[in-house]
Amino acid sequence: MDESYIKRLFPGIEEIKNEEFKKGVISAWLISAQKGNWNDIKDIPFTLLIPTKKSLIEHTNAVTEMAIAIARVRPDLDFDIVVAGALVHDVGKLLEYELKNGKFVKSCYGELVRHPVSGYQIVLEAGLPLEIAHIVAAHSEEGEKVKRSPEAILIHHCDFIDFEIEKRRLGIK
Ligand SMILES: [Fe+2]
């Protein structure tokens, strides 16, 4: 996997105007793939909580597209922070999951550290600013303990819209 492969997986990267953020998003995915020992990331499921066929890449792109649409009607939000934050919000899942005997399962690392925490660390390591790391750290339940930024509120809701609809579609309460 290289820079051009990540760009092809995530077309939303091209929506970011800030060149440093673009580089940081690509770098975050490459760092995470390396730490998680993945040769390819395209088939990783977006969650192990429900039996969905939706991949992590499809979920990330759906959340990014929803976030872009909302950011366009809320110009008071920082557009680049929203897009970059959406693109990396689940980057830590590459450490939380592993492929064992042909099945995606929670890794030993994932038993101890959830993706908002590992993702936060990876995003900072990739050179992205704290405002984006905050989105990653606060996008899930962990974020209930802090005051989410407006951009983090947006990503949190887009993430749960995608998850809850998928859950309902599968007939799960
Ligand atoms: Fe997510």
Side-chain angles (χ1 to χ4, degrees):
M1 272 186 301
D2 59 6
E3 190 180 321
S4 65
Y5 185 68
I6 300 296
K7 276 186 180 170
R8 258 183 287 134
L9 288 181
F10 304 109
I13 292 172
E14 286 310 313
E15 299 287 335
I16 303 171
K17 288 170 229 66
N18 184 315
E19 288 301 320
E20 294 303 310
F21 289 6
K22 271 189 198 183
K23 273 190 224 154
V25 167
I26 295 164
S27 173
W29 279 101
L30 290 173
I31 290 171
S32 197
Q34 195 191 14
K35 281 185 195 275
N37 284 319
W38 294 98
N39 295 322
D40 196 1
I41 58 172
K42 73 173 182 352
D43 298 324
I44 299 174
F46 100 82
T47 178
L48 299 177
L49 301 173
I50 52 173
T52 178
K53 289 198 169 50
K54 194 166 197 168
S55 73
L56 178 61
I57 309 302
E58 288 169 331
H59 166 69
T60 300
N61 288 334
V63 169
T64 304
E65 277 184 48
M66 283 190 265
I68 287 173
I70 296 167
R72 286 200 169 120
V73 292
R74 285 302 304 242
D76 53 330
L77 298 180
D78 186 312
F79 187 82
D80 275 2
I81 296 277
V82 166
V83 184
L87 285 164
V88 295
H89 82 278
D90 271 347
V91 76
K93 285 193 177 172
L94 300 191
L95 273 74
E96 197 172 335
Y97 303 160
E98 67 179 355
L99 189 59
K100 214 173 188 175
N101 304 323
K103 253 188 97 182
F104 291 99
V105 293
K106 195 175 263 190
S107 66
C108 294
Y109 183 102
E111 294 288 353
L112 299 175
V113 181
R114 264 171 48 82
H115 65 278
V117 177
S118 51
Y120 168 85
Q121 187 194 9
I122 289 163
V123 158
L124 291 178
E125 200 178 321
L128 288 166
L130 191 59
E131 289 80 358
I132 295 173
H134 162 73
I135 292 176
V136 179
H139 80 273
S140 203
E141 286 88 352
E142 284 83 350
E144 304 301 325
K145 299 287 181 191
V146 290
K147 198 170 166 188
R148 289 188 179 101
S149 67
E151 290 79 8
I153 292 171
L154 174 50
I155 305 304
H156 163 67
H157 283 283
C158 291
D159 187 32
F160 277 81
I161 287 168
D162 201 47
F163 176 68
E164 293 293 336
I165 291 176
E166 189 68 6
K167 213 164 115 181
R168 183 55 56 93
R169 212 178 56 77
L170 292 166
I172 300 165
K173 277 189 187 164

